[in-house]
């Protein structure tokens, strides 16, 4: 397993599509509006470069987990460096989760 930074459109598609595969049998799952999410992430990751997206991949390049994060100024805490993360999803495996969060840290 490797933890990789999303660096191109193909990896971005894998990042966005992962929850659809993870929750495919869950009747309560409500997917994101795919085109809007791709457009927003494309801007944040590749144009503005204000966020970083990580994906965990197995040896066959199947996505096992994902996380989006940034380090930015927090006006409420009055600090210049505060970490924020979102879009965290992972298979039920503590090793994958630990490595994904560890790489983010």
């Amino acid at each position: 397993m490797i933890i990789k930074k999303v660096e191109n459109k193909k990896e971005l598609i894998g990042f966005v599509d992962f929850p659809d595969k993870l929750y495919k049998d869950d009747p309560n799952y409500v997917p994101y509006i795919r085109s809007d999410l791709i457009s927003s992430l494309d801007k944040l990751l590749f144009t503005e470069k204000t966020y970083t997206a990580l994906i965990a991949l197995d040896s066959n390049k199947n996505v096992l987990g994902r996380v989006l994060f940034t380090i930015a100024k927090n006006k409420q805490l009055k600090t210049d460096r505060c970490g924020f993360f979102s879009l965290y999803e992972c298979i039920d495996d503590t090793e994958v989760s630990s490595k994904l969060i560890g790489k983010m840290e």
Side-chain angles (χ1 to χ4, degrees), residues 4-68:
K4 184 174 185 337
K5 180 179 173 183
V6 173
E7 296 177 325
N8 58 52
K9 192 79 165 191
K10 183 179 177 185
E11 292 170 349
L12 177 60
I13 300 300
F15 182 92
V16 169
D17 290 344
F18 175 64
D20 294 339
K21 295 172 187 164
L22 184 65
Y23 303 121
K24 70 178 185 229
D25 296 325
D26 186 342
N28 299 311
Y29 172 61
V30 178
Y32 292 97
I33 299 173
R34 187 174 186 269
S35 60
D36 286 346
L37 185 57
I38 290 170
S39 175
S40 295
L41 290 176
D42 187 88
K43 182 179 174 185
L44 292 171
L45 298 174
F46 306 132
T47 305
E48 295 176 359
K49 298 182 181 182
T50 53
Y51 281 76
T52 301
L54 298 177
I55 50 176
L57 301 169
D58 66 10
S59 59
N60 295 322
K61 305 286 186 200
N62 295 313
V63 180
L64 305 173
R66 72 178 193 170
V67 67
L68 177 74

Side-chain angles (χ1 to χ4, degrees), residues 63-79:
V63 180
L64 305 173
R66 72 178 193 170
V67 67
L68 177 74
F69 69 96
T70 189
I71 298 173
K73 185 175 182 125
N74 186 316
K75 295 174 187 170
Q76 294 168 332
L77 297 176
K78 296 184 175 69
T79 179

Side-chain angles (χ1 to χ4, degrees), residues 1 3 88 90-91 93-105:
M1 171 189 43
I3 308 299
Y88 172 75
C90 187
I91 62 169
D93 186 321
T94 55
E95 180 185 2
V96 174
S97 180
S98 294
K99 287 187 177 184
L100 194 58
I101 298 299
K103 183 75 169 184
M104 180 184 67
E105 289 177 323

